[in-house]
């Protein structure tokens, strides 16, 4: 029986229940229900207090102190919206071994050295914009981090390193070093003396993050936090963690590939859908300013089951290759395997091909994937997926100089997508000469022949008339 005046609340989503349960009915998290006090305290009248600062017209607010400052890593600056804003708290999450610590060690070095990208480099140390960098590790020893810094060439006199897992000790290091940027690796290993639970628990993560956010806002100190991820790839810890911080970044990459991508999920200072591309090497992590060629396989001859498309991540158009394999199945229920694509949308495209394209997949296995470990979820690649499956099913090769852009509807129609001109400009730059696009695509660049189609049947008919060479 639940005690009178007691309620139970989920530590992940805040959903309240009358009695304790093992699984939250709202977010379906296990073991997140916590006992709370009375959910409906008496409402008291709050007396007016002295404000910390008088309200001013918005035009008189000083914005120079809130200008973004470059991290010295251009690809990371792109995702952050120009750099680190004083007082901003950034959460970088990713799977173990993807390169989070290596990237932040590079940021710590460039910040300590006062380096900006070459396009606007100047002596920031003399300008007073940069200060020492403080790297706090709770997962490794100081010696292990020093060895990695030597291997990647990230050693500087203004880089400070501390191996701590207590929040109060971290604050003491901040008072002693007075850094220009603070890096905490990771937030799940830190413990606050104000919370009683074990490090990594819901209560501890919330308390540690709240303390670091208060520190950042009070001193105007940029703080970079490393976060763990769950089995499904989402940020580990309570959902309130993502609400407390200003920026949430996901570090993605296939462990069998050197390509890494930092994807913005939340950003209070810029676009929330930008990506930065990196390459993980033995000597460290290097930004890739022009990654389009990394997601393509250059074939000497046309290969059935492949189609090229152009996806847009933030403001960056990227060429991507979609591959499909259709083979006769020996199983009672044919397989549908997807890698790098939205499985639900691929299933929808297969259904449209069966209904509108008169193809049969009832006794065939279908595999669809992207090249280079790229993950694409936008609907603009539906047409490329459909053409790749049609090409693989009929063993008919598409032109290697053709790109396909468009969303496929349930009625088989090809819908318009945004930024067709910008996508085709990137295709022209990479040497493509033909494109299958939806009707009324708007102004298009020179150097490419755009074939407008309004349904899937017209698209299939159009690709057969594009020369293979």
């Amino acid at each position: 029986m639940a005690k009178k005046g007691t309620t139970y609340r989920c530590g992940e989503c805040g959903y309240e229940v009358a009695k304790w349960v093992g699984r939250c009915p709202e977010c379906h998290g296990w073991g997140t229900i916590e006992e709370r006090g009375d959910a409906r305290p008496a409402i008291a009248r709050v007396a007016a207090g002295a404000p910390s600062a008088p309200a001013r017209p918005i035009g008189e607010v000083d914005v120079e102190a809130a200008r973004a400052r470059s991290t010295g890593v251009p690809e990371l600056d792109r995702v952050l919206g120009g750099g680190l804003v004083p007082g901003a708290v950034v959460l970088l999450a990713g799977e173990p071994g993807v390169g989070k610590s290596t990237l932040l060690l590079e940021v710590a070095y460039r910040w300590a050295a006062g380096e900006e990208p070459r396009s606007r480099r100047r002596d920031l140390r003399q300008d007073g914009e940069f200060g020492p960098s403080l790297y706090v590790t709770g997962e490794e020893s100081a010696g292990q981090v020093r060895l990695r810094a030597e291997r990647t060439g990230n050693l500087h006199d203004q880089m400070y390193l501390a191996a701590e897992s207590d929040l109060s000790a971290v604050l003491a290091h901040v008072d002693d070093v007075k850094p220009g940027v603070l890096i905490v690796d990771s937030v799940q290993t830190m413990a606050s003396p104000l919370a009683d639970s074990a490090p990594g628990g819901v209560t501890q993560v919330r308390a540690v993050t709240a303390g670091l956010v208060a520190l950042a806002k009070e001193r105007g100190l940029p703080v970079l936090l490393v976060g763990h991820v769950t089995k499904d790839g989402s940020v580990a810890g309570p959902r309130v963690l993502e609400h407390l911080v200003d920026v949430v970044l996901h570090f993605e990459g296939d462990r069998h590939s050197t390509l890494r991508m930092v994807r913005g999920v939340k950003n209070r200072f810029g676009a929330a859908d930008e990506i930065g591309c990196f390459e993980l090497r033995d000597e460290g992590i290097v930004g890739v300013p022009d990654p389009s060629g990394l997601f393509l396989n250059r074939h000497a001859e046309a290969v059935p089951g492949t189609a090229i498309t152009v996806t847009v991540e933030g403001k960056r158009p990227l060429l991507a290759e979609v591959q499909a394999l259709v083979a006769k199945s020996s199983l009672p229920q044919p397989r549908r395997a997807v890698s790098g694509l939205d499985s639900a949308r691929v299933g929808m495209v297969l259904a449209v091909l069966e209904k509108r394209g008169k193809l049969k997949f009832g006794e065939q296995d279908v595999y669809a994937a992207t090249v280079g470990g790229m993950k694409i979820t936008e609907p603009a690649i539906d047409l490329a997926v459909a053409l790749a499956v049609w090409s693989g099913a009929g063993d008919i090769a598409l032109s290697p100089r053709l790109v396909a852009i468009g969303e496929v509807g349930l009625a088989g129609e090809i819908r318009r997508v945004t930024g067709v001109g910008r996508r085709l400009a990137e295709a022209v730059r990479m040497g493509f000469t033909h494109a299958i696009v939806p009707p009324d695509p708007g102004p298009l660049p020179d150097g490419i022949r755009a074939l407008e189609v309004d349904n899937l049947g017209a698209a299939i008919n159009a690709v057969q008339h594009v020369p293979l060479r």
Side-chain angles (χ1 to χ4, degrees):
M1 295 291 293
K3 293 181 289 186
K4 185 177 181 180
T6 300
T7 185
Y8 296 86
R9 183 183 302 169
C10 175
E12 292 278 353
C13 64
Y15 185 79
E16 293 185 359
V17 291
K19 62 180 181 178
W20 186 89
V21 291
R23 188 180 188 184
C24 174
E26 180 69 19
C27 67
H28 306 294
W30 288 97
T32 60
I33 302 297
E34 301 173 347
E35 182 178 347
R36 300 283 179 173
D38 193 345
R40 296 175 177 83
I43 300 176
R45 185 181 298 273
V46 178
S52 58
R56 294 177 293 170
I58 191 171
E60 298 179 6
V61 176
D62 182 22
V63 297
E64 291 303 321
R67 296 289 186 190
R69 303 173 188 179
S70 173
T71 62
V73 182
E75 286 299 300
L76 184 58
D77 288 343
R78 172 194 290 270
V79 186
L80 291 173
L84 286 173
V85 174
V89 181
V90 180
L91 176 64
L92 178 63
E95 295 182 355
V98 75
K100 303 183 298 295
S101 301
T102 304
L103 175 61
L104 293 183
L105 199 60
E106 179 82 13
V107 172
Y109 167 76
R110 293 189 178 274
W111 189 282
E115 292 189 9
E116 273 198 341
R118 294 180 180 177
S119 60
R120 49 194 180 119
R121 180 168 293 177
R122 50 197 171 91
D123 191 355
L124 297 171
R125 182 69 59 197
Q126 294 181 2
D127 293 346
E129 293 188 14
F130 279 46
S133 60
L134 176 59
Y135 190 104
V136 180
T137 175
E139 298 184 343
E140 301 175 280
S141 66
Q144 290 175 317
V145 178
R146 165 66 190 269
L147 288 175
R148 188 191 310 121
E150 285 185 348
R151 177 174 57 84
T152 57
N154 293 325
L155 288 177
H156 196 276
D157 293 340
Q158 293 296 314
M159 285 179 62
Y160 288 82
L161 177 63
E164 297 286 355
S165 59
D166 186 80
L167 181 60
S168 59
V170 174
L171 300 181
H173 283 299
V174 172
D175 291 335
D176 183 37
V177 177
K178 295 180 173 57
V181 64
L182 172 63
I183 299 173
V184 179
D185 185 6
S186 65
V187 67
Q188 274 85 4
T189 61
M190 296 294 155
S192 172
L194 302 178
D196 296 332
S197 60
V202 172
T203 305
Q204 279 288 1
V205 171
R206 184 188 295 115
V208 169
T209 305
L212 291 174
V213 169
L215 171 70
K217 304 306 179 184
E218 177 185 351
R219 306 192 183 189
L221 174 65
V223 178
L224 297 170
L225 306 177
V226 174
H228 297 170
V229 295
T230 59
K231 292 181 180 180
D232 60 357
S234 59
V235 180
R239 182 63 61 181
V240 70
L241 176 63
E242 298 182 48
H243 294 293
L244 285 173
V245 300
D246 301 302
V247 182
V248 179
L249 306 179
H250 273 224
F251 209 152
E252 303 173 356
D254 186 356
R255 63 175 61 250
H256 303 294
S257 172
T258 60
L259 181 66
R260 299 290 186 268
M261 288 191 295
V262 176
R263 186 183 304 273
V265 177
K266 170 189 174 182
N267 193 349
R268 291 174 177 166
F269 314 112
D273 55 354
E274 283 286 357
I275 66 166
C277 296
F278 298 87
E279 187 176 0
L280 193 62
R281 304 176 182 174
D282 292 338
E283 60 273 16
I285 193 163
V286 181
V288 182
D290 187 13
S292 283
L294 298 176
F295 305 111
L296 298 178
N297 274 341
R298 294 296 186 179
H299 304 286
E301 297 181 357
V303 179
T306 64
I308 309 299
T309 187
V310 186
T311 181
V312 174
E313 297 286 354
K315 300 178 182 178
R316 169 181 282 181
L318 297 174
L319 271 83
E321 180 176 338
V322 178
Q323 296 183 338
L325 176 63
V326 181
K328 183 174 179 58
S329 178
S330 58
L331 302 174
Q333 183 175 359
R335 293 194 61 185
R336 302 288 185 262
V338 177
S339 176
L341 299 168
D342 185 355
S343 58
R345 294 204 68 87
V346 173
M348 183 203 73
V349 170
L350 293 179
V352 174
L353 281 172
E354 282 195 296
K355 183 68 174 180
R356 311 298 177 186
K358 307 304 180 183
L359 297 179
K360 301 299 180 183
F361 301 109
E363 298 179 354
Q364 294 177 309
D365 295 330
V366 180
Y367 303 85
T370 58
V371 172
M374 190 177 188
K375 296 181 180 179
I376 314 175
T377 57
E378 70 162 340
I381 68 164
D382 288 352
L383 182 56
V385 173
L387 293 178
V389 173
W390 171 83
S391 172
D395 200 25
I396 303 173
L398 304 181
S399 172
R401 296 184 177 274
L402 171 73
V403 295
I405 302 169
E407 179 184 355
V408 176
L410 293 179
E413 78 277 15
I414 306 301
R415 299 176 180 175
R416 288 182 292 178
V417 297
T418 60
V420 174
R422 185 153 43 108
R423 298 171 194 258
L424 294 188
E426 179 69 9
V428 171
R429 190 179 69 85
M430 298 299 293
F432 290 84
T433 58
H434 292 75
I436 306 294
V437 297
D440 302 325
L444 301 180
D446 298 330
I448 192 168
R449 183 184 176 187
L451 307 175
E452 299 181 21
V453 295
D454 58 359
N455 60 74
L456 193 55
I460 293 175
N461 182 64
V463 298
Q464 300 181 65
H465 295 86
V466 177
L468 296 181
R469 297 185 181 274

